[in-house]
PDB file of all heavy atoms in Angstrom:
ATOM      1  N   LYS A 255      -6.788   9.190  -9.163  1.00 87.00           N
ATOM      2  CA  LYS A 255      -7.011  10.398  -8.352  1.00 87.00           C
ATOM      3  C   LYS A 255      -5.968  10.467  -7.222  1.00 87.00           C
ATOM      4  O   LYS A 255      -5.386  11.531  -6.951  1.00 87.00           O
ATOM      5  CB  LYS A 255      -8.407  10.308  -7.730  1.00 87.00           C
ATOM      6  CG  LYS A 255      -8.978  11.642  -7.328  1.00 87.00           C
ATOM      7  CD  LYS A 255     -10.415  11.499  -6.954  1.00 87.00           C
ATOM      8  CE  LYS A 255     -10.959  12.842  -6.479  1.00 87.00           C
ATOM      9  NZ  LYS A 255     -12.356  12.806  -6.105  1.00 87.00           N
ATOM     10  N   ALA A 256      -5.721   9.276  -6.595  1.00 87.00           N
ATOM     11  CA  ALA A 256      -4.738   9.241  -5.495  1.00 87.00           C
ATOM     12  C   ALA A 256      -3.335   9.585  -6.022  1.00 87.00           C
ATOM     13  O   ALA A 256      -2.589  10.309  -5.413  1.00 87.00           O
ATOM     14  CB  ALA A 256      -4.771   7.842  -4.854  1.00 87.00           C
ATOM     15  N   ALA A 259      -3.072  13.205  -6.710  1.00 90.00           N
ATOM     16  CA  ALA A 259      -2.942  13.914  -5.416  1.00 90.00           C
ATOM     17  C   ALA A 259      -1.544  13.787  -4.887  1.00 90.00           C
ATOM     18  O   ALA A 259      -0.965  14.754  -4.419  1.00 90.00           O
ATOM     19  CB  ALA A 259      -3.944  13.370  -4.419  1.00 90.00           C
ATOM     20  N   ASP A 260      -0.968  12.563  -5.015  1.00 90.00           N
ATOM     21  CA  ASP A 260       0.415  12.351  -4.541  1.00 90.00           C
ATOM     22  C   ASP A 260       1.438  13.224  -5.303  1.00 90.00           C
ATOM     23  O   ASP A 260       2.351  13.781  -4.698  1.00 90.00           O
ATOM     24  CB  ASP A 260       0.791  10.861  -4.641  1.00 90.00           C
ATOM     25  CG  ASP A 260       0.257  10.037  -3.503  1.00 90.00           C
ATOM     26  OD1 ASP A 260      -0.114  10.652  -2.459  1.00 90.00           O
ATOM     27  OD2 ASP A 260       0.122   8.804  -3.645  1.00 90.00           O
ATOM     28  N   LEU A 262       0.774  16.017  -6.803  1.00 91.00           N
ATOM     29  CA  LEU A 262       0.563  17.407  -6.373  1.00 91.00           C
ATOM     30  C   LEU A 262       1.276  17.639  -5.032  1.00 91.00           C
ATOM     31  O   LEU A 262       1.934  18.670  -4.820  1.00 91.00           O
ATOM     32  CB  LEU A 262      -0.896  17.679  -6.181  1.00 91.00           C
ATOM     33  CG  LEU A 262      -1.614  18.386  -7.334  1.00 91.00           C
ATOM     34  CD1 LEU A 262      -3.106  18.485  -7.045  1.00 91.00           C
ATOM     35  CD2 LEU A 262      -1.011  19.739  -7.568  1.00 91.00           C
ATOM     36  N   PHE A 263       1.125  16.652  -4.136  1.00 94.00           N
ATOM     37  CA  PHE A 263       1.742  16.789  -2.808  1.00 94.00           C
ATOM     38  C   PHE A 263       3.244  16.889  -2.938  1.00 94.00           C
ATOM     39  O   PHE A 263       3.907  17.741  -2.329  1.00 94.00           O
ATOM     40  CB  PHE A 263       1.342  15.599  -1.915  1.00 94.00           C
ATOM     41  CG  PHE A 263       1.977  15.711  -0.565  1.00 94.00           C
ATOM     42  CD1 PHE A 263       1.432  16.550   0.415  1.00 94.00           C
ATOM     43  CD2 PHE A 263       3.139  15.059  -0.228  1.00 94.00           C
ATOM     44  CE1 PHE A 263       2.039  16.710   1.655  1.00 94.00           C
ATOM     45  CE2 PHE A 263       3.737  15.148   1.007  1.00 94.00           C
ATOM     46  CZ  PHE A 263       3.159  16.009   1.952  1.00 94.00           C
ATOM     47  N   GLU A 264       3.827  16.016  -3.820  1.00 92.00           N
ATOM     48  CA  GLU A 264       5.276  16.014  -3.993  1.00 92.00           C
ATOM     49  C   GLU A 264       5.741  17.386  -4.497  1.00 92.00           C
ATOM     50  O   GLU A 264       6.745  17.910  -4.035  1.00 92.00           O
ATOM     51  CB  GLU A 264       5.658  14.881  -4.943  1.00 92.00           C
ATOM     52  CG  GLU A 264       7.159  14.625  -4.893  1.00 92.00           C
ATOM     53  CD  GLU A 264       7.548  13.207  -5.358  1.00 92.00           C
ATOM     54  OE1 GLU A 264       6.701  12.328  -5.339  1.00 92.00           O
ATOM     55  OE2 GLU A 264       8.742  13.065  -5.703  1.00 92.00           O
ATOM     56  N   ARG A 265       4.932  17.933  -5.455  1.00 90.00           N
ATOM     57  CA  ARG A 265       5.314  19.255  -5.986  1.00 90.00           C
ATOM     58  C   ARG A 265       5.246  20.331  -4.888  1.00 90.00           C
ATOM     59  O   ARG A 265       6.080  21.239  -4.803  1.00 90.00           O
ATOM     60  CB  ARG A 265       4.378  19.618  -7.130  1.00 90.00           C
ATOM     61  CG  ARG A 265       4.871  19.169  -8.450  1.00 90.00           C
ATOM     62  CD  ARG A 265       4.541  20.162  -9.593  1.00 90.00           C
ATOM     63  NE  ARG A 265       3.120  20.333  -9.743  1.00 90.00           N
ATOM     64  CZ  ARG A 265       2.281  19.595 -10.439  1.00 90.00           C
ATOM     65  NH1 ARG A 265       2.774  18.511 -11.037  1.00 90.00           N
ATOM     66  NH2 ARG A 265       1.027  19.827 -10.543  1.00 90.00           N
ATOM     67  N   SER A 266       4.229  20.161  -3.992  1.00 93.00           N
ATOM     68  CA  SER A 266       4.037  21.145  -2.925  1.00 93.00           C
ATOM     69  C   SER A 266       5.159  21.133  -1.892  1.00 93.00           C
ATOM     70  O   SER A 266       5.326  22.023  -1.112  1.00 93.00           O
ATOM     71  CB  SER A 266       2.695  20.929  -2.227  1.00 93.00           C
ATOM     72  OG  SER A 266       2.783  19.861  -1.344  1.00 93.00           O
ATOM     73  N   MET A 267       5.941  20.051  -1.955  1.00 94.00           N
ATOM     74  CA  MET A 267       7.047  19.916  -0.966  1.00 94.00           C
ATOM     75  C   MET A 267       8.314  20.567  -1.432  1.00 94.00           C
ATOM     76  O   MET A 267       9.316  20.608  -0.755  1.00 94.00           O
ATOM     77  CB  MET A 267       7.331  18.418  -0.692  1.00 94.00           C
ATOM     78  CG  MET A 267       6.250  17.728   0.125  1.00 94.00           C
ATOM     79  SD  MET A 267       6.179  18.303   1.855  1.00 94.00           S
ATOM     80  CE  MET A 267       4.731  19.279   1.878  1.00 94.00           C
ATOM     81  N   LYS A 268       8.285  21.134  -2.661  1.00 89.00           N
ATOM     82  CA  LYS A 268       9.463  21.834  -3.147  1.00 89.00           C
ATOM     83  C   LYS A 268       9.537  23.221  -2.470  1.00 89.00           C
ATOM     84  O   LYS A 268       8.536  23.688  -1.925  1.00 89.00           O
ATOM     85  CB  LYS A 268       9.368  22.048  -4.655  1.00 89.00           C
ATOM     86  CG  LYS A 268       9.546  20.750  -5.414  1.00 89.00           C
ATOM     87  CD  LYS A 268       9.648  20.973  -6.893  1.00 89.00           C
ATOM     88  CE  LYS A 268       9.943  19.649  -7.566  1.00 89.00           C
ATOM     89  NZ  LYS A 268       9.981  19.756  -9.038  1.00 89.00           N
ATOM     90  N   LYS A 269      10.691  23.806  -2.506  1.00 79.00           N
ATOM     91  CA  LYS A 269      10.902  25.107  -1.836  1.00 79.00           C
ATOM     92  C   LYS A 269      10.023  26.170  -2.511  1.00 79.00           C
ATOM     93  O   LYS A 269       9.757  26.103  -3.694  1.00 79.00           O
ATOM     94  CB  LYS A 269      12.333  25.529  -1.972  1.00 79.00           C
ATOM     95  CG  LYS A 269      13.203  24.884  -0.888  1.00 79.00           C
ATOM     96  CD  LYS A 269      14.661  25.210  -1.125  1.00 79.00           C
ATOM     97  CE  LYS A 269      15.541  24.400  -0.232  1.00 79.00           C
ATOM     98  NZ  LYS A 269      16.912  24.293  -0.706  1.00 79.00           N
TER      99      LYS A 269
ATOM    100  N   TRP B 330      -1.722   7.813   2.870  1.00 97.00           N
ATOM    101  CA  TRP B 330      -2.450   8.835   3.674  1.00 97.00           C
ATOM    102  C   TRP B 330      -3.585   8.275   4.524  1.00 97.00           C
ATOM    103  O   TRP B 330      -3.894   8.832   5.581  1.00 97.00           O
ATOM    104  CB  TRP B 330      -2.965   9.949   2.781  1.00 97.00           C
ATOM    105  CG  TRP B 330      -1.849  10.684   2.086  1.00 97.00           C
ATOM    106  CD1 TRP B 330      -1.520  10.570   0.762  1.00 97.00           C
ATOM    107  CD2 TRP B 330      -0.901  11.569   2.665  1.00 97.00           C
ATOM    108  NE1 TRP B 330      -0.428  11.339   0.494  1.00 97.00           N
ATOM    109  CE2 TRP B 330      -0.006  11.970   1.649  1.00 97.00           C
ATOM    110  CE3 TRP B 330      -0.696  12.030   3.955  1.00 97.00           C
ATOM    111  CZ2 TRP B 330       1.027  12.819   1.834  1.00 97.00           C
ATOM    112  CZ3 TRP B 330       0.383  12.923   4.186  1.00 97.00           C
ATOM    113  CH2 TRP B 330       1.213  13.303   3.115  1.00 97.00           C
ATOM    114  N   GLU B 387      14.492  16.992 -12.261  1.00 90.00           N
ATOM    115  CA  GLU B 387      14.938  18.187 -13.081  1.00 90.00           C
ATOM    116  C   GLU B 387      16.203  18.775 -12.479  1.00 90.00           C
ATOM    117  O   GLU B 387      17.041  19.270 -13.192  1.00 90.00           O
ATOM    118  CB  GLU B 387      13.876  19.280 -13.100  1.00 90.00           C
ATOM    119  CG  GLU B 387      12.503  18.847 -13.650  1.00 90.00           C
ATOM    120  CD  GLU B 387      11.640  18.174 -12.605  1.00 90.00           C
ATOM    121  OE1 GLU B 387      11.565  18.659 -11.489  1.00 90.00           O
ATOM    122  OE2 GLU B 387      11.066  17.109 -12.936  1.00 90.00           O
ATOM    123  N   LYS B 453       9.337  21.403   5.991  1.00 97.00           N
ATOM    124  CA  LYS B 453       8.377  20.448   5.366  1.00 97.00           C
ATOM    125  C   LYS B 453       8.825  19.025   5.711  1.00 97.00           C
ATOM    126  O   LYS B 453       9.382  18.349   4.822  1.00 97.00           O
ATOM    127  CB  LYS B 453       8.339  20.670   3.837  1.00 97.00           C
ATOM    128  CG  LYS B 453       7.835  22.039   3.376  1.00 97.00           C
ATOM    129  CD  LYS B 453       7.950  22.132   1.878  1.00 97.00           C
ATOM    130  CE  LYS B 453       7.765  23.514   1.345  1.00 97.00           C
ATOM    131  NZ  LYS B 453       6.405  23.997   1.349  1.00 97.00           N
ATOM    132  N   ALA B 461      12.385  16.179  -3.918  1.00 94.00           N
ATOM    133  CA  ALA B 461      11.711  17.450  -4.005  1.00 94.00           C
ATOM    134  C   ALA B 461      12.579  18.660  -3.776  1.00 94.00           C
ATOM    135  O   ALA B 461      12.076  19.763  -3.679  1.00 94.00           O
ATOM    136  CB  ALA B 461      10.543  17.441  -3.029  1.00 94.00           C
ATOM    137  N   ARG B 467      17.994  17.237   2.411  1.00 98.00           N
ATOM    138  CA  ARG B 467      17.153  17.666   3.552  1.00 98.00           C
ATOM    139  C   ARG B 467      17.066  16.510   4.583  1.00 98.00           C
ATOM    140  O   ARG B 467      16.961  15.371   4.203  1.00 98.00           O
ATOM    141  CB  ARG B 467      15.724  17.855   3.049  1.00 98.00           C
ATOM    142  CG  ARG B 467      15.385  19.206   2.540  1.00 98.00           C
ATOM    143  CD  ARG B 467      13.923  19.251   2.213  1.00 98.00           C
ATOM    144  NE  ARG B 467      13.690  20.194   1.165  1.00 98.00           N
ATOM    145  CZ  ARG B 467      12.542  20.375   0.531  1.00 98.00           C
ATOM    146  NH1 ARG B 467      11.491  19.604   0.851  1.00 98.00           N
ATOM    147  NH2 ARG B 467      12.388  21.283  -0.374  1.00 98.00           N
ATOM    148  N   GLU B 599     -16.034  16.357  -1.400  1.00 95.00           N
ATOM    149  CA  GLU B 599     -15.861  15.032  -2.023  1.00 95.00           C
ATOM    150  C   GLU B 599     -17.032  14.104  -1.756  1.00 95.00           C
ATOM    151  O   GLU B 599     -17.681  14.210  -0.677  1.00 95.00           O
ATOM    152  CB  GLU B 599     -14.583  14.383  -1.452  1.00 95.00           C
ATOM    153  CG  GLU B 599     -13.299  15.129  -1.812  1.00 95.00           C
ATOM    154  CD  GLU B 599     -12.938  15.044  -3.255  1.00 95.00           C
ATOM    155  OE1 GLU B 599     -13.240  13.998  -3.903  1.00 95.00           O
ATOM    156  OE2 GLU B 599     -12.333  16.009  -3.792  1.00 95.00           O
ATOM    157  N   ASP B 604     -11.275  10.057  -0.170  1.00 94.00           N
ATOM    158  CA  ASP B 604     -10.652  11.166  -0.932  1.00 94.00           C
ATOM    159  C   ASP B 604     -10.548  12.395  -0.039  1.00 94.00           C
ATOM    160  O   ASP B 604      -9.532  13.098  -0.074  1.00 94.00           O
ATOM    161  CB  ASP B 604     -11.516  11.466  -2.167  1.00 94.00           C
ATOM    162  CG  ASP B 604     -11.491  10.337  -3.170  1.00 94.00           C
ATOM    163  OD1 ASP B 604     -10.472   9.639  -3.216  1.00 94.00           O
ATOM    164  OD2 ASP B 604     -12.464  10.153  -3.895  1.00 94.00           O
ATOM    165  N   MET B 611      -3.052  15.669   3.413  1.00 97.00           N
ATOM    166  CA  MET B 611      -2.026  16.368   2.651  1.00 97.00           C
ATOM    167  C   MET B 611      -1.939  17.830   3.051  1.00 97.00           C
ATOM    168  O   MET B 611      -0.833  18.370   3.118  1.00 97.00           O
ATOM    169  CB  MET B 611      -2.377  16.286   1.149  1.00 97.00           C
ATOM    170  CG  MET B 611      -2.094  14.931   0.572  1.00 97.00           C
ATOM    171  SD  MET B 611      -2.482  14.943  -1.168  1.00 97.00           S
ATOM    172  CE  MET B 611      -2.027  13.239  -1.589  1.00 97.00           C
ATOM    173  N   HIS B 614      -0.097  18.177   6.262  1.00 98.00           N
ATOM    174  CA  HIS B 614       1.322  17.884   6.186  1.00 98.00           C
ATOM    175  C   HIS B 614       2.074  18.920   5.334  1.00 98.00           C
ATOM    176  O   HIS B 614       3.219  18.673   4.942  1.00 98.00           O
ATOM    177  CB  HIS B 614       1.580  16.459   5.644  1.00 98.00           C
ATOM    178  CG  HIS B 614       1.282  15.418   6.675  1.00 98.00           C
ATOM    179  ND1 HIS B 614       0.007  15.021   6.982  1.00 98.00           N
ATOM    180  CD2 HIS B 614       2.094  14.794   7.528  1.00 98.00           C
ATOM    181  CE1 HIS B 614       0.062  14.121   7.959  1.00 98.00           C
ATOM    182  NE2 HIS B 614       1.309  13.937   8.316  1.00 98.00           N
ATOM    183  N   GLN B 615       1.454  20.050   5.025  1.00 97.00           N
ATOM    184  CA  GLN B 615       2.179  21.105   4.337  1.00 97.00           C
ATOM    185  C   GLN B 615       3.147  21.704   5.323  1.00 97.00           C
ATOM    186  O   GLN B 615       3.018  21.521   6.559  1.00 97.00           O
ATOM    187  CB  GLN B 615       1.209  22.192   3.834  1.00 97.00           C
ATOM    188  CG  GLN B 615       0.347  21.751   2.682  1.00 97.00           C
ATOM    189  CD  GLN B 615       1.144  21.371   1.466  1.00 97.00           C
ATOM    190  OE1 GLN B 615       1.847  22.181   0.914  1.00 97.00           O
ATOM    191  NE2 GLN B 615       1.014  20.116   1.035  1.00 97.00           N
ATOM    192  N   ASP B 653       0.376  25.800  -4.059  1.00 93.00           N
ATOM    193  CA  ASP B 653       1.057  24.508  -3.817  1.00 93.00           C
ATOM    194  C   ASP B 653       0.229  23.329  -4.174  1.00 93.00           C
ATOM    195  O   ASP B 653       0.767  22.312  -4.642  1.00 93.00           O
ATOM    196  CB  ASP B 653       1.491  24.463  -2.332  1.00 93.00           C
ATOM    197  CG  ASP B 653       2.574  25.501  -2.013  1.00 93.00           C
ATOM    198  OD1 ASP B 653       3.287  25.883  -2.972  1.00 93.00           O
ATOM    199  OD2 ASP B 653       2.736  25.885  -0.864  1.00 93.00           O
ATOM    200  N   GLU B 655      -2.898  23.487  -5.896  1.00 93.00           N
ATOM    201  CA  GLU B 655      -3.852  23.812  -6.997  1.00 93.00           C
ATOM    202  C   GLU B 655      -5.298  23.655  -6.532  1.00 93.00           C
ATOM    203  O   GLU B 655      -6.144  23.132  -7.224  1.00 93.00           O
ATOM    204  CB  GLU B 655      -3.575  22.934  -8.217  1.00 93.00           C
ATOM    205  CG  GLU B 655      -2.173  23.168  -8.819  1.00 93.00           C
ATOM    206  CD  GLU B 655      -1.861  22.242  -9.934  1.00 93.00           C
ATOM    207  OE1 GLU B 655      -2.759  21.574 -10.456  1.00 93.00           O
ATOM    208  OE2 GLU B 655      -0.689  22.230 -10.322  1.00 93.00           O
TER     209      GLU B 655
END
Side-chain angles (χ1 to χ4, degrees):
Chain A
K255 201 171 178 181
D260 280 341
L262 260 177
F263 180 79
E264 194 157 339
R265 270 215 301 275
S266 77
M267 289 291 107
K268 289 188 176 179
K269 277 174 189 160
Chain B
W330 298 107
E387 303 82 46
K453 297 176 192 285
R467 274 184 207 171
E599 296 290 330
D604 293 330
M611 286 182 179
H614 286 80
Q615 290 299 300
D653 292 336
E655 297 176 12

